[in-house]
Amino acid sequence: MCGLCSSFNGRSSDDLVSRYSYLPTALAEFTNSWCTDPTTCRTFNPSEQPCDGQKESANWAHASCAVIRSDSFTACHQVVDPEPFYERCLQDMCACPGPHAKCRCEAVESYARRCTENGAQTDWREDAKCEIECPVRGEVFQESGSSCQTTCSDLRAGVVPICDGNLQVQGCNCPAGLVRGDDGSCVE
């Protein structure tokens, strides 16, 4: 099996082989070679800008992506250059068919993730209007929270959860000082 996602055979030397079994010299040539229906497949042109000729879309993209350059990411700007992420965000926003909030949040989150990987914690979701509502009452969303949560059952049994407490994950957790109750809620 082969395709746009390669042959998945463990050899990177043939990952960019075209549909016609040759190694193209440009990424656009590779991408376009996998288009099977020219009437429904939009070919890739790297010099084409999705917002060209669409002033309103371009303005919306710049306003949406500005958070990447904002004070919300000051701690990160020193360890991860925001410009490539800002440019990709503009591309994503201009090409986004909607809903725009989903595209914006995914684009900004890619920068936030790189920041976290490089040790720069940021509190960006509110400024970017990308808050995540946790489904369980009392939980809070954390960009980098513990994957190891203590439960009431653990406390009653006098055990410590067996997991890697150093592993930090994104998700909904009980706030500091609370534990997971038997019903799944956060309790003291």
Side-chain angles (χ1 to χ4, degrees):
M1 179 183 309
C2 59
L4 197 53
C5 294
S6 136
S7 60
F8 203 65
N9 62 8
R11 293 191 312 256
S12 60
S13 61
D14 66 2
D15 281 354
L16 295 177
V17 171
S18 77
R19 178 176 174 201
Y20 308 106
S21 300
Y22 71 92
L23 197 58
T25 57
L27 183 59
E29 184 181 0
F30 163 74
T31 306
N32 293 334
S33 78
W34 288 101
C35 178
T36 58
D37 183 355
T39 62
T40 60
C41 185
R42 184 175 161 251
T43 58
F44 174 68
N45 179 349
S47 64
E48 180 182 300
Q49 299 296 314
C51 280
D52 282 354
Q54 300 177 38
K55 186 175 173 71
E56 189 174 314
S57 294
N59 290 341
W60 172 250
H62 283 281
S64 296
C65 299
V67 70
I68 291 173
R69 292 175 167 172
S70 76
D71 291 344
S72 296
F73 285 102
T74 299
C76 185
H77 292 160
Q78 300 179 28
V79 292
V80 179
D81 181 9
E83 289 312 303
F85 291 89
Y86 178 78
E87 291 300 322
R88 274 185 243 136
C89 180
L90 293 177
Q91 292 285 322
D92 290 350
M93 290 303 297
C94 288
C96 182
H100 290 292
K102 184 176 183 344
C103 295
R104 178 188 63 245
C105 293
E106 289 174 356
V108 176
E109 185 174 24
S110 69
Y111 183 58
R113 191 176 317 112
R114 184 64 57 87
C115 295
T116 300
E117 289 168 0
N118 284 278
Q121 297 298 320
T122 59
D123 186 19
W124 62 275
R125 286 194 179 273
E126 186 175 340
D127 291 344
K129 296 176 180 53
C130 296
E131 297 96 335
I132 293 180
E133 294 291 324
C134 293
V136 176
R137 188 176 57 84
E139 286 182 323
V140 294
F141 182 82
Q142 296 174 324
E143 291 295 330
S144 186
S146 175
S147 63
C148 193
Q149 296 214 3
T150 303
T151 65
C152 287
S153 297
D154 295 334
L155 294 175
R156 279 194 298 274
V159 297
V160 176
I162 299 173
C163 62
D164 183 355
N166 294 321
L167 180 62
Q168 298 291 301
V169 295
Q170 183 185 67
C172 293
N173 293 308
C174 291
L178 300 182
V179 296
R180 182 80 52 202
D182 294 332
D183 64 353
S185 65
C186 298
V187 297
E188 289 186 46

